[in-house]
Amino acid sequence: MIKIAKAIKEFIISFFVAFFTKWLEDFLILSGIVMIVVNTYLISIVDYNILAGNYLTGVVLIFMGVILAKR
């Protein structure tokens, strides 16, 4: 049982290390694009102030992803 727990612990640690070093900028850009596309389809349903905040959040996520990708 101890070997299984150690293997699971090592897998989780290696996953998070790989995520934050290789995939974080891709995740940020993708989530920003998805947020903007979803809000485009919700224009007639959601209030304008919420839409503006969601668009701004999407743009900030894309901007942060691009900055991290350039480094």
Side-chain angles (χ1 to χ4, degrees), residues 4-24:
I4 294 173
K6 188 174 181 180
I8 292 172
K9 178 183 173 186
E10 289 176 2
F11 171 76
I12 291 172
I13 289 172
S14 64
F15 174 77
F16 279 112
V17 167
F19 178 76
F20 285 114
T21 56
K22 297 180 183 178
W23 301 330
L24 183 62

Side-chain angles (χ1 to χ4, degrees), residues 49-60:
N49 56 352
I50 295 172
L51 279 175
N54 287 342
Y55 277 122
L56 181 64
T57 303
V59 168
V60 167

Side-chain angles (χ1 to χ4, degrees), residues 17-33:
V17 167
F19 178 76
F20 285 114
T21 56
K22 297 180 183 178
W23 301 330
L24 183 62
E25 58 269 359
D26 297 332
F27 177 74
L28 289 174
I29 292 171
L30 181 65
S31 61
I33 291 172

